Amino acid sequence: MDMVTEQFRQQMETAAALARVSAVRPLELAIVLPTLNERGNIAPMVDRLEAALGPSGWEAVFVDDNSQDGTAEEARRISRTDSRIRVIQRIGRRGLASAAIEGMCATAAPFVAVMDADHQHDPALLMDMLEAVKSGEYDLAYASRFAVGGNANGLSSKGREQGSRLANALARKLTGTELSDAMSGFFLLRSEQLRKQAPNLSGIGFKIMLDILSTARPQLRVKEFPLKFAERLSGESKLDHGVALDFIAGLYDRYLGRVIPTRFALFGTVGGLGVFVHMAVLSLLYLALGSSFALGQATATVVAMTFNFWLNNLLTYRDSKLTGPREMFFGWIKFCATCAVGAFANVAAAAMLQGNGFAWWIAALVGIALASVWNYALSSKFVWGRFR
Ligand SMILES: Nc1nc2c(ncn2[C@@H]2O[C@H](COP(=O)(O)OP(=O)(O)O)[C@@H](O)[C@H]2O)c(=O)[nH]1
Ligand SMILES: [Mg+2]
């Protein structure tokens, strides 16, 4: 072999070795991170993901609900020089569960994880979680604050910890699986499994992992990993922690949601409570305090509408809740305006039916049904929705 050939052979070998070292692994895992005002947490999170997962084989999908602090822009800034980072920016949409589902459906990676962007979840667990599912021994791996070796120190209150324990007991019934932390938001599964189930997931209220576990047929085999739940790095918590409410809404949605949509049912229930408030205020003013009927009725109407607005904001639309005095004030005005039109339609339709010989109570019920649908449809758009 002459010198030149030998030199060439050596060069080729070096190049091949280099290629092996820096080999770009194919995309295996997507980490979906729902965000709402997490700007300061994005860059440090990318660093931690890289430290945990190495230079390639993964991507991070930030699903941002149009945060006002520029979270999506921060993720895009990083993405310009780092193609592992992706952004989905949703406009006029809110909600952790639906953000997670959309993120999980938006990747080509065969495995997908969901995790909080606020650093309360430790990315160092991801590799072991991935191995557990990849091995075929388990279908879903998740991080538990209450597994042996984990802790919940980052949970801000005793009440939340108790709430979580109660939820676990209920979840056991729902999923048939023993879970030490049913409300965990940090889990990993095959993305094909997720896509198969996606059409049956509710995407409202219900914690997403629990939703996945309770709708999977056959049941998923679950592996727990102890999580040391940390304090959030920067920013503040957005979720209120009506764990019980999440459950009730979730259960309703599972069993009756197809008959009467969950949100409409909540809206209707709130409306029903509003009638009691109305009657209570009216009796107080008219019967007890001797005001005129018109004044009593007018006051009761305003109080009931305000009560309904407040409770709908808290319950029916808790995933897109209005906050702050300004938002609340304009929301309230729009809600009252919507209801006023609804009430007018109610009275007009009922009077027409009654005038045409329908029984008074049928006419009244039709009027009420008409106004409920109107109020719901319009307020969900104008007060809490797309056009707010
Ligand atoms: N896309 C999206 N992300 C959300 C929403 N609500 C919360 N998040 C994100 O979900 C994660 C958990 O929320 P967080 O407020 O920390 O809840 P906590 O840990 O239970 O206090 C964080 O990364 C939030 O930015 C939402 O409505 N939409
Ligand atoms: Mg958090």
PDB file of all heavy atoms in Angstrom, residues 321-356:
ATOM      1  N   LYS A 321     -60.525  31.827  32.968  1.00  0.00           N
ATOM      2  CA  LYS A 321     -61.056  32.772  33.932  1.00  0.00           C
ATOM      3  C   LYS A 321     -60.612  34.209  33.687  1.00  0.00           C
ATOM      4  O   LYS A 321     -59.462  34.470  33.360  1.00  0.00           O
ATOM      5  CB  LYS A 321     -60.566  32.326  35.310  1.00  0.00           C
ATOM      6  CG  LYS A 321     -61.279  32.952  36.446  1.00  0.00           C
ATOM      7  CD  LYS A 321     -61.129  32.141  37.713  1.00  0.00           C
ATOM      8  CE  LYS A 321     -59.689  31.854  38.062  1.00  0.00           C
ATOM      9  NZ  LYS A 321     -59.584  30.983  39.228  1.00  0.00           N
ATOM     10  N   LEU A 322     -61.544  35.145  33.846  1.00  0.00           N
ATOM     11  CA  LEU A 322     -61.180  36.564  33.796  1.00  0.00           C
ATOM     12  C   LEU A 322     -60.631  36.951  35.155  1.00  0.00           C
ATOM     13  O   LEU A 322     -61.152  36.535  36.187  1.00  0.00           O
ATOM     14  CB  LEU A 322     -62.415  37.422  33.496  1.00  0.00           C
ATOM     15  CG  LEU A 322     -63.214  37.061  32.244  1.00  0.00           C
ATOM     16  CD1 LEU A 322     -64.436  37.958  32.140  1.00  0.00           C
ATOM     17  CD2 LEU A 322     -62.354  37.197  31.003  1.00  0.00           C
ATOM     18  N   THR A 323     -59.563  37.754  35.142  1.00  0.00           N
ATOM     19  CA  THR A 323     -58.992  38.180  36.424  1.00  0.00           C
ATOM     20  C   THR A 323     -58.733  39.682  36.378  1.00  0.00           C
ATOM     21  O   THR A 323     -58.743  40.289  35.313  1.00  0.00           O
ATOM     22  CB  THR A 323     -57.642  37.477  36.693  1.00  0.00           C
ATOM     23  OG1 THR A 323     -56.836  37.627  35.522  1.00  0.00           O
ATOM     24  CG2 THR A 323     -57.818  36.006  36.988  1.00  0.00           C
ATOM     25  N   GLY A 324     -58.486  40.269  37.519  1.00  0.00           N
ATOM     26  CA  GLY A 324     -58.163  41.695  37.571  1.00  0.00           C
ATOM     27  C   GLY A 324     -59.409  42.534  37.439  1.00  0.00           C
ATOM     28  O   GLY A 324     -60.368  42.134  36.767  1.00  0.00           O
ATOM     29  N   PRO A 325     -59.429  43.705  38.065  1.00  0.00           N
ATOM     30  CA  PRO A 325     -60.646  44.522  38.105  1.00  0.00           C
ATOM     31  C   PRO A 325     -61.154  44.932  36.723  1.00  0.00           C
ATOM     32  O   PRO A 325     -62.362  44.915  36.471  1.00  0.00           O
ATOM     33  CB  PRO A 325     -60.229  45.750  38.927  1.00  0.00           C
ATOM     34  CG  PRO A 325     -58.766  45.663  39.128  1.00  0.00           C
ATOM     35  CD  PRO A 325     -58.311  44.271  38.819  1.00  0.00           C
ATOM     36  N   ARG A 326     -60.252  45.263  35.820  1.00  0.00           N
ATOM     37  CA  ARG A 326     -60.655  45.740  34.499  1.00  0.00           C
ATOM     38  C   ARG A 326     -61.355  44.639  33.704  1.00  0.00           C
ATOM     39  O   ARG A 326     -62.471  44.811  33.215  1.00  0.00           O
ATOM     40  CB  ARG A 326     -59.404  46.219  33.753  1.00  0.00           C
ATOM     41  CG  ARG A 326     -59.678  47.228  32.684  1.00  0.00           C
ATOM     42  CD  ARG A 326     -58.398  47.490  31.886  1.00  0.00           C
ATOM     43  NE  ARG A 326     -58.725  47.416  30.471  1.00  0.00           N
ATOM     44  CZ  ARG A 326     -59.252  48.419  29.791  1.00  0.00           C
ATOM     45  NH1 ARG A 326     -59.492  49.560  30.386  1.00  0.00           N
ATOM     46  NH2 ARG A 326     -59.547  48.279  28.511  1.00  0.00           N
ATOM     47  N   GLU A 327     -60.691  43.484  33.612  1.00  0.00           N
ATOM     48  CA  GLU A 327     -61.256  42.349  32.890  1.00  0.00           C
ATOM     49  C   GLU A 327     -62.597  41.939  33.492  1.00  0.00           C
ATOM     50  O   GLU A 327     -63.555  41.654  32.784  1.00  0.00           O
ATOM     51  CB  GLU A 327     -60.295  41.152  32.976  1.00  0.00           C
ATOM     52  CG  GLU A 327     -59.539  40.885  31.712  1.00  0.00           C
ATOM     53  CD  GLU A 327     -58.787  39.553  31.747  1.00  0.00           C
ATOM     54  OE1 GLU A 327     -59.004  38.708  32.635  1.00  0.00           O
ATOM     55  OE2 GLU A 327     -57.971  39.380  30.840  1.00  0.00           O
ATOM     56  N   MET A 328     -62.626  41.924  34.825  1.00  0.00           N
ATOM     57  CA  MET A 328     -63.852  41.515  35.507  1.00  0.00           C
ATOM     58  C   MET A 328     -64.983  42.500  35.215  1.00  0.00           C
ATOM     59  O   MET A 328     -66.118  42.115  34.951  1.00  0.00           O
ATOM     60  CB  MET A 328     -63.623  41.451  37.029  1.00  0.00           C
ATOM     61  CG  MET A 328     -62.805  40.279  37.477  1.00  0.00           C
ATOM     62  SD  MET A 328     -63.686  38.728  37.325  1.00  0.00           S
ATOM     63  CE  MET A 328     -64.571  38.679  38.873  1.00  0.00           C
ATOM     64  N   PHE A 329     -64.658  43.794  35.265  1.00  0.00           N
ATOM     65  CA  PHE A 329     -65.692  44.803  35.067  1.00  0.00           C
ATOM     66  C   PHE A 329     -66.298  44.691  33.665  1.00  0.00           C
ATOM     67  O   PHE A 329     -67.516  44.605  33.501  1.00  0.00           O
ATOM     68  CB  PHE A 329     -65.119  46.209  35.297  1.00  0.00           C
ATOM     69  CG  PHE A 329     -66.126  47.297  35.019  1.00  0.00           C
ATOM     70  CD1 PHE A 329     -67.188  47.525  35.899  1.00  0.00           C
ATOM     71  CD2 PHE A 329     -66.027  48.074  33.875  1.00  0.00           C
ATOM     72  CE1 PHE A 329     -68.128  48.502  35.637  1.00  0.00           C
ATOM     73  CE2 PHE A 329     -66.964  49.059  33.600  1.00  0.00           C
ATOM     74  CZ  PHE A 329     -68.019  49.273  34.488  1.00  0.00           C
ATOM     75  N   PHE A 330     -65.437  44.640  32.639  1.00  0.00           N
ATOM     76  CA  PHE A 330     -65.974  44.570  31.276  1.00  0.00           C
ATOM     77  C   PHE A 330     -66.665  43.239  31.025  1.00  0.00           C
ATOM     78  O   PHE A 330     -67.662  43.173  30.313  1.00  0.00           O
ATOM     79  CB  PHE A 330     -64.871  44.872  30.256  1.00  0.00           C
ATOM     80  CG  PHE A 330     -64.537  46.338  30.198  1.00  0.00           C
ATOM     81  CD1 PHE A 330     -63.365  46.830  30.742  1.00  0.00           C
ATOM     82  CD2 PHE A 330     -65.442  47.233  29.634  1.00  0.00           C
ATOM     83  CE1 PHE A 330     -63.073  48.186  30.721  1.00  0.00           C
ATOM     84  CE2 PHE A 330     -65.165  48.593  29.597  1.00  0.00           C
ATOM     85  CZ  PHE A 330     -63.980  49.079  30.149  1.00  0.00           C
ATOM     86  N   GLY A 331     -66.131  42.201  31.625  1.00  0.00           N
ATOM     87  CA  GLY A 331     -66.776  40.888  31.512  1.00  0.00           C
ATOM     88  C   GLY A 331     -68.182  40.932  32.072  1.00  0.00           C
ATOM     89  O   GLY A 331     -69.146  40.438  31.461  1.00  0.00           O
ATOM     90  N   TRP A 332     -68.306  41.566  33.215  1.00  0.00           N
ATOM     91  CA  TRP A 332     -69.607  41.675  33.885  1.00  0.00           C
ATOM     92  C   TRP A 332     -70.600  42.466  33.026  1.00  0.00           C
ATOM     93  O   TRP A 332     -71.748  42.073  32.840  1.00  0.00           O
ATOM     94  CB  TRP A 332     -69.404  42.340  35.254  1.00  0.00           C
ATOM     95  CG  TRP A 332     -70.651  42.631  36.011  1.00  0.00           C
ATOM     96  CD1 TRP A 332     -71.458  41.720  36.629  1.00  0.00           C
ATOM     97  CD2 TRP A 332     -71.233  43.924  36.255  1.00  0.00           C
ATOM     98  NE1 TRP A 332     -72.509  42.360  37.238  1.00  0.00           N
ATOM     99  CE2 TRP A 332     -72.395  43.718  37.024  1.00  0.00           C
ATOM    100  CE3 TRP A 332     -70.881  45.224  35.893  1.00  0.00           C
ATOM    101  CZ2 TRP A 332     -73.210  44.760  37.444  1.00  0.00           C
ATOM    102  CZ3 TRP A 332     -71.696  46.263  36.309  1.00  0.00           C
ATOM    103  CH2 TRP A 332     -72.844  46.032  37.075  1.00  0.00           C
ATOM    104  N   ILE A 333     -70.139  43.610  32.472  1.00  0.00           N
ATOM    105  CA  ILE A 333     -71.001  44.416  31.598  1.00  0.00           C
ATOM    106  C   ILE A 333     -71.485  43.579  30.413  1.00  0.00           C
ATOM    107  O   ILE A 333     -72.675  43.547  30.083  1.00  0.00           O
ATOM    108  CB  ILE A 333     -70.218  45.652  31.047  1.00  0.00           C
ATOM    109  CG1 ILE A 333     -69.787  46.570  32.175  1.00  0.00           C
ATOM    110  CG2 ILE A 333     -71.022  46.380  29.967  1.00  0.00           C
ATOM    111  CD1 ILE A 333     -70.826  47.571  32.605  1.00  0.00           C
ATOM    112  N   LYS A 334     -70.553  42.853  29.788  1.00  0.00           N
ATOM    113  CA  LYS A 334     -70.927  42.068  28.608  1.00  0.00           C
ATOM    114  C   LYS A 334     -71.884  40.943  28.993  1.00  0.00           C
ATOM    115  O   LYS A 334     -72.806  40.621  28.243  1.00  0.00           O
ATOM    116  CB  LYS A 334     -69.669  41.492  27.935  1.00  0.00           C
ATOM    117  CG  LYS A 334     -68.871  42.556  27.181  1.00  0.00           C
ATOM    118  CD  LYS A 334     -67.811  41.925  26.317  1.00  0.00           C
ATOM    119  CE  LYS A 334     -66.440  42.160  26.907  1.00  0.00           C
ATOM    120  NZ  LYS A 334     -65.369  41.640  26.075  1.00  0.00           N
ATOM    121  N   PHE A 335     -71.630  40.354  30.147  1.00  0.00           N
ATOM    122  CA  PHE A 335     -72.504  39.278  30.600  1.00  0.00           C
ATOM    123  C   PHE A 335     -73.926  39.810  30.823  1.00  0.00           C
ATOM    124  O   PHE A 335     -74.905  39.205  30.388  1.00  0.00           O
ATOM    125  CB  PHE A 335     -71.951  38.661  31.891  1.00  0.00           C
ATOM    126  CG  PHE A 335     -72.720  37.464  32.364  1.00  0.00           C
ATOM    127  CD1 PHE A 335     -72.549  36.229  31.740  1.00  0.00           C
ATOM    128  CD2 PHE A 335     -73.613  37.552  33.424  1.00  0.00           C
ATOM    129  CE1 PHE A 335     -73.248  35.104  32.158  1.00  0.00           C
ATOM    130  CE2 PHE A 335     -74.324  36.436  33.855  1.00  0.00           C
ATOM    131  CZ  PHE A 335     -74.149  35.212  33.222  1.00  0.00           C
ATOM    132  N   CYS A 336     -74.026  40.970  31.487  1.00  0.00           N
ATOM    133  CA  CYS A 336     -75.350  41.550  31.745  1.00  0.00           C
ATOM    134  C   CYS A 336     -76.055  41.892  30.434  1.00  0.00           C
ATOM    135  O   CYS A 336     -77.261  41.654  30.287  1.00  0.00           O
ATOM    136  CB  CYS A 336     -75.228  42.805  32.611  1.00  0.00           C
ATOM    137  SG  CYS A 336     -74.698  42.424  34.285  1.00  0.00           S
ATOM    138  N   ALA A 337     -75.295  42.430  29.471  1.00  0.00           N
ATOM    139  CA  ALA A 337     -75.897  42.790  28.182  1.00  0.00           C
ATOM    140  C   ALA A 337     -76.430  41.541  27.480  1.00  0.00           C
ATOM    141  O   ALA A 337     -77.557  41.523  26.961  1.00  0.00           O
ATOM    142  CB  ALA A 337     -74.869  43.496  27.304  1.00  0.00           C
ATOM    143  N   THR A 338     -75.610  40.481  27.486  1.00  0.00           N
ATOM    144  CA  THR A 338     -76.036  39.224  26.866  1.00  0.00           C
ATOM    145  C   THR A 338     -77.326  38.711  27.515  1.00  0.00           C
ATOM    146  O   THR A 338     -78.282  38.322  26.841  1.00  0.00           O
ATOM    147  CB  THR A 338     -74.932  38.156  27.039  1.00  0.00           C
ATOM    148  OG1 THR A 338     -73.737  38.645  26.478  1.00  0.00           O
ATOM    149  CG2 THR A 338     -75.315  36.863  26.361  1.00  0.00           C
ATOM    150  N   CYS A 339     -77.340  38.736  28.856  1.00  0.00           N
ATOM    151  CA  CYS A 339     -78.506  38.220  29.584  1.00  0.00           C
ATOM    152  C   CYS A 339     -79.744  39.072  29.333  1.00  0.00           C
ATOM    153  O   CYS A 339     -80.860  38.559  29.292  1.00  0.00           O
ATOM    154  CB  CYS A 339     -78.233  38.170  31.080  1.00  0.00           C
ATOM    155  SG  CYS A 339     -77.020  36.923  31.499  1.00  0.00           S
ATOM    156  N   ALA A 340     -79.531  40.372  29.170  1.00  0.00           N
ATOM    157  CA  ALA A 340     -80.676  41.250  28.933  1.00  0.00           C
ATOM    158  C   ALA A 340     -81.360  40.873  27.624  1.00  0.00           C
ATOM    159  O   ALA A 340     -82.594  40.768  27.551  1.00  0.00           O
ATOM    160  CB  ALA A 340     -80.217  42.706  28.906  1.00  0.00           C
ATOM    161  N   VAL A 341     -80.556  40.642  26.596  1.00  0.00           N
ATOM    162  CA  VAL A 341     -81.134  40.236  25.310  1.00  0.00           C
ATOM    163  C   VAL A 341     -81.821  38.872  25.462  1.00  0.00           C
ATOM    164  O   VAL A 341     -82.917  38.649  24.948  1.00  0.00           O
ATOM    165  CB  VAL A 341     -80.046  40.188  24.210  1.00  0.00           C
ATOM    166  CG1 VAL A 341     -80.655  39.760  22.879  1.00  0.00           C
ATOM    167  CG2 VAL A 341     -79.370  41.530  24.070  1.00  0.00           C
ATOM    168  N   GLY A 342     -81.151  37.982  26.202  1.00  0.00           N
ATOM    169  CA  GLY A 342     -81.723  36.655  26.447  1.00  0.00           C
ATOM    170  C   GLY A 342     -83.075  36.758  27.146  1.00  0.00           C
ATOM    171  O   GLY A 342     -84.038  36.073  26.782  1.00  0.00           O
ATOM    172  N   ALA A 343     -83.156  37.654  28.130  1.00  0.00           N
ATOM    173  CA  ALA A 343     -84.395  37.803  28.882  1.00  0.00           C
ATOM    174  C   ALA A 343     -85.509  38.332  27.979  1.00  0.00           C
ATOM    175  O   ALA A 343     -86.664  37.892  28.050  1.00  0.00           O
ATOM    176  CB  ALA A 343     -84.166  38.756  30.058  1.00  0.00           C
ATOM    177  N   PHE A 344     -85.142  39.258  27.104  1.00  0.00           N
ATOM    178  CA  PHE A 344     -86.124  39.821  26.175  1.00  0.00           C
ATOM    179  C   PHE A 344     -86.673  38.725  25.262  1.00  0.00           C
ATOM    180  O   PHE A 344     -87.893  38.590  25.089  1.00  0.00           O
ATOM    181  CB  PHE A 344     -85.448  40.931  25.346  1.00  0.00           C
ATOM    182  CG  PHE A 344     -86.389  41.618  24.425  1.00  0.00           C
ATOM    183  CD1 PHE A 344     -87.299  42.553  24.913  1.00  0.00           C
ATOM    184  CD2 PHE A 344     -86.393  41.321  23.063  1.00  0.00           C
ATOM    185  CE1 PHE A 344     -88.187  43.183  24.060  1.00  0.00           C
ATOM    186  CE2 PHE A 344     -87.281  41.944  22.201  1.00  0.00           C
ATOM    187  CZ  PHE A 344     -88.179  42.881  22.696  1.00  0.00           C
ATOM    188  N   ALA A 345     -85.781  37.901  24.716  1.00  0.00           N
ATOM    189  CA  ALA A 345     -86.196  36.791  23.846  1.00  0.00           C
ATOM    190  C   ALA A 345     -87.073  35.815  24.616  1.00  0.00           C
ATOM    191  O   ALA A 345     -88.085  35.309  24.098  1.00  0.00           O
ATOM    192  CB  ALA A 345     -84.966  36.076  23.296  1.00  0.00           C
ATOM    193  N   ASN A 346     -86.692  35.574  25.851  1.00  0.00           N
ATOM    194  CA  ASN A 346     -87.442  34.680  26.725  1.00  0.00           C
ATOM    195  C   ASN A 346     -88.889  35.147  26.872  1.00  0.00           C
ATOM    196  O   ASN A 346     -89.841  34.411  26.583  1.00  0.00           O
ATOM    197  CB  ASN A 346     -86.709  34.654  28.088  1.00  0.00           C
ATOM    198  CG  ASN A 346     -87.469  33.911  29.179  1.00  0.00           C
ATOM    199  OD1 ASN A 346     -88.608  33.504  28.990  1.00  0.00           O
ATOM    200  ND2 ASN A 346     -86.825  33.746  30.318  1.00  0.00           N
ATOM    201  N   VAL A 347     -89.036  36.407  27.255  1.00  0.00           N
ATOM    202  CA  VAL A 347     -90.377  36.943  27.506  1.00  0.00           C
ATOM    203  C   VAL A 347     -91.194  36.978  26.214  1.00  0.00           C
ATOM    204  O   VAL A 347     -92.360  36.564  26.172  1.00  0.00           O
ATOM    205  CB  VAL A 347     -90.290  38.348  28.139  1.00  0.00           C
ATOM    206  CG1 VAL A 347     -91.671  38.975  28.249  1.00  0.00           C
ATOM    207  CG2 VAL A 347     -89.614  38.271  29.501  1.00  0.00           C
ATOM    208  N   ALA A 348     -90.549  37.421  25.127  1.00  0.00           N
ATOM    209  CA  ALA A 348     -91.269  37.526  23.856  1.00  0.00           C
ATOM    210  C   ALA A 348     -91.769  36.159  23.387  1.00  0.00           C
ATOM    211  O   ALA A 348     -92.941  35.999  23.023  1.00  0.00           O
ATOM    212  CB  ALA A 348     -90.348  38.146  22.792  1.00  0.00           C
ATOM    213  N   ALA A 349     -90.881  35.154  23.436  1.00  0.00           N
ATOM    214  CA  ALA A 349     -91.264  33.818  22.950  1.00  0.00           C
ATOM    215  C   ALA A 349     -92.349  33.216  23.831  1.00  0.00           C
ATOM    216  O   ALA A 349     -93.347  32.653  23.329  1.00  0.00           O
ATOM    217  CB  ALA A 349     -90.043  32.905  22.914  1.00  0.00           C
ATOM    218  N   ALA A 350     -92.185  33.354  25.148  1.00  0.00           N
ATOM    219  CA  ALA A 350     -93.156  32.767  26.072  1.00  0.00           C
ATOM    220  C   ALA A 350     -94.526  33.407  25.890  1.00  0.00           C
ATOM    221  O   ALA A 350     -95.557  32.727  25.846  1.00  0.00           O
ATOM    222  CB  ALA A 350     -92.664  32.915  27.521  1.00  0.00           C
ATOM    223  N   ALA A 351     -94.533  34.743  25.741  1.00  0.00           N
ATOM    224  CA  ALA A 351     -95.808  35.460  25.591  1.00  0.00           C
ATOM    225  C   ALA A 351     -96.504  35.041  24.304  1.00  0.00           C
ATOM    226  O   ALA A 351     -97.726  34.834  24.275  1.00  0.00           O
ATOM    227  CB  ALA A 351     -95.555  36.973  25.596  1.00  0.00           C
ATOM    228  N   MET A 352     -95.696  34.872  23.248  1.00  0.00           N
ATOM    229  CA  MET A 352     -96.290  34.475  21.971  1.00  0.00           C
ATOM    230  C   MET A 352     -96.916  33.085  22.078  1.00  0.00           C
ATOM    231  O   MET A 352     -98.049  32.864  21.638  1.00  0.00           O
ATOM    232  CB  MET A 352     -95.214  34.493  20.885  1.00  0.00           C
ATOM    233  CG  MET A 352     -95.769  34.267  19.502  1.00  0.00           C
ATOM    234  SD  MET A 352     -94.480  33.720  18.386  1.00  0.00           S
ATOM    235  CE  MET A 352     -94.253  32.054  18.932  1.00  0.00           C
ATOM    236  N   LEU A 353     -96.205  32.151  22.684  1.00  0.00           N
ATOM    237  CA  LEU A 353     -96.723  30.785  22.821  1.00  0.00           C
ATOM    238  C   LEU A 353     -97.989  30.771  23.674  1.00  0.00           C
ATOM    239  O   LEU A 353     -98.994  30.154  23.332  1.00  0.00           O
ATOM    240  CB  LEU A 353     -95.666  29.871  23.459  1.00  0.00           C
ATOM    241  CG  LEU A 353     -94.492  29.495  22.555  1.00  0.00           C
ATOM    242  CD1 LEU A 353     -93.475  28.665  23.328  1.00  0.00           C
ATOM    243  CD2 LEU A 353     -94.971  28.728  21.331  1.00  0.00           C
ATOM    244  N   GLN A 354     -97.912  31.501  24.771  1.00  0.00           N
ATOM    245  CA  GLN A 354     -99.054  31.519  25.689  1.00  0.00           C
ATOM    246  C   GLN A 354    -100.264  32.129  24.998  1.00  0.00           C
ATOM    247  O   GLN A 354    -101.380  31.635  25.107  1.00  0.00           O
ATOM    248  CB  GLN A 354     -98.669  32.302  26.953  1.00  0.00           C
ATOM    249  CG  GLN A 354     -99.522  31.984  28.157  1.00  0.00           C
ATOM    250  CD  GLN A 354    -100.645  33.008  28.348  1.00  0.00           C
ATOM    251  OE1 GLN A 354    -100.584  34.065  27.720  1.00  0.00           O
ATOM    252  NE2 GLN A 354    -101.626  32.675  29.175  1.00  0.00           N
ATOM    253  N   GLY A 355    -100.012  33.181  24.211  1.00  0.00           N
ATOM    254  CA  GLY A 355    -101.078  33.838  23.454  1.00  0.00           C
ATOM    255  C   GLY A 355    -101.700  32.906  22.418  1.00  0.00           C
ATOM    256  O   GLY A 355    -102.854  33.058  22.028  1.00  0.00           O
ATOM    257  N   ASN A 356    -100.899  31.919  21.954  1.00  0.00           N
ATOM    258  CA  ASN A 356    -101.407  30.992  20.956  1.00  0.00           C
ATOM    259  C   ASN A 356    -101.960  29.714  21.561  1.00  0.00           C
ATOM    260  O   ASN A 356    -102.055  28.684  20.897  1.00  0.00           O
ATOM    261  CB  ASN A 356    -100.303  30.655  19.953  1.00  0.00           C
ATOM    262  CG  ASN A 356    -100.121  31.797  18.956  1.00  0.00           C
ATOM    263  OD1 ASN A 356    -101.048  32.139  18.217  1.00  0.00           O
ATOM    264  ND2 ASN A 356     -98.964  32.413  18.981  1.00  0.00           N
TER     265      ASN A 356
END
